[in-house]
Structures are given as structure tokens and as C-alpha cells.
Amino acid sequence: MLLTVAIIGAPHGLKGEVRLDLRTDDPARRLAVGNVLETEPADAGPLTVTRTRRAADATYVIFEEARDRTAAESLRGVRLVVESDEDEGDEDEGWYPHQLVGLRVVHVDGRELGTVADLEHLPAQDVLVVTEPDGAEARVPFVAELVPEVDTDAGTITLDPPRGLFAADPVEDEPDDAGSGRAEGRA
């Protein structure tokens, strides 16, 4: 399976440099000088990295095959892809959507919460998109406090979400302990 490393954006300057929309958690390895990357569509590549730099929270690259602005413009929207490594996706490296989509999502208490529909890579953190049994979608920050276990062999992800995150577990159903045992008014 092919994984997207980055999507080529707008040219930057006149010498073929392009801005990348990164989709990898290891850009230093994937975009190292000399690396040859396959592309989607395939006829746009392969592309050889000749320079990579970071500036103002952006990554810029020059490819051997696109040495001027016109050639760089023709690459806009092209995906840089690599073949999936089976070893990728352990807890230290992160997860790819194809490894999680379709897994059953269960609450720590055993209740079925739904199925993973997607994994969104956002700037702050990854977010699991879960389709609930009624068709509603819930977005769960992919952090250890809320996602204590991912078991791809068993086909499950265990969540410990706060009340209200899922439609089937609304906050309004929470018991009202604050008023119990107190007098309503005083004379």
C-alpha cells in the first residue's frame, strides 16, 4: 500500500522550490537529499530531492526534475508517496489511517461505540473519526488519556472518552449529585 509523504504546493521563488503539505511524522528521513520519491499521478515522477529546508513552520523542497518555477508549478497537487513498511505504526512511530480504519471502537467498560472511519493528522494532534452505530460521527483526540489501547490484531481500539463526546453518552444523562441531600430554600 502506498502512503502519502507530502502533497506538493505552490512554487516558492524562481529556482523550482516548492512548499510541501507534510503528511509524514518523519520528514527528515523521507525528504533527505538524494531520496527518490514516487508520485501520484505516477507520470509526474519519480522525483529526486536535491534540497530541503524549513522556514516559518513550512517545509520547502527542490527536486532535480523541476529546476525552474514553471516546472515547479506543474507539480502542484502531486502526491509524494512511499511503499508502506509493515513495521511502521507501532506506538513510538504513530499510526497511519489504513492501519486503523475499520477497527471496532469499544469503551473501557465494554460498550460498543462504533467503527473508525478515519485518522486525521491535525497540527496539534491526530484525531480519530468514529462512526457511531446511529451514523453520527465523533472526533476523539488520539492521546493516551482517551485512547488507552490500540489492538490491531484483535481489531479493536479502546477509548475512555469524557461524557458528551459520543451521541449515545450525552452529558445530560449525568446524575445530579450537586443538589442531593440539600434543602431547596431557607427560611
Side-chain angles (χ1 to χ4, degrees):
M1 168 175 267
L2 293 177
L3 301 175
T4 301
V5 172
I7 300 171
I8 299 174
H12 184 79
L14 301 174
K15 298 189 180 196
E17 187 173 60
V18 291
R19 183 178 179 145
L20 297 181
D21 176 9
L22 294 179
R23 303 296 171 95
T24 180
D25 57 353
D26 194 0
R29 178 171 68 104
R30 298 288 192 193
L31 300 169
V33 172
N35 278 5
V36 178
L37 297 161
E38 297 299 320
T39 60
E40 283 186 357
D43 62 355
L47 299 173
T48 308
V49 177
T50 59
R51 182 175 142 195
T52 302
R53 71 179 179 93
R54 295 255 326 141
D57 295 329
T59 299
Y60 298 93
V61 173
I62 295 176
F63 298 107
E64 179 67 36
E65 297 78 6
R67 291 300 203 143
D68 61 37
R69 186 176 182 88
T70 302
E73 181 64 45
S74 72
L75 295 175
R76 188 188 293 235
V78 170
R79 291 179 177 270
L80 301 173
V81 295
V82 294
E83 192 66 36
S84 170
D85 297 336
E86 288 304 313
D87 296 338
E88 292 186 68
D90 63 35
E91 287 185 39
D92 295 332
E93 299 239 352
W95 298 93
Y96 290 100
H98 77 274
Q99 295 171 301
L100 303 178
V101 170
L103 295 182
R104 285 184 22 248
V105 179
V106 296
H107 194 280
V108 290
D109 67 11
R111 289 180 287 144
E112 288 282 331
L113 295 174
T115 305
V116 177
D118 197 7
L119 174 65
E120 297 176 345
H121 298 290
L122 302 179
Q125 67 208 8
D126 291 348
V127 173
L128 283 173
V129 179
V130 178
T131 302
E132 297 182 59
D134 67 356
E137 274 192 354
R139 286 182 161 60
V140 181
F142 201 174
V143 295
E145 295 80 21
L146 302 180
V147 186
E149 183 179 5
V150 175
D151 188 344
T152 56
D153 292 332
T156 60
I157 293 181
T158 304
L159 301 183
D160 190 9
R163 302 255 347 224
L165 191 58
F166 285 84
D169 194 20
V171 174
E172 296 83 42
D173 290 347
E174 204 165 287
D176 184 16
D177 293 331
S180 60
R182 292 188 183 165
E184 290 296 322
R186 296 189 181 202

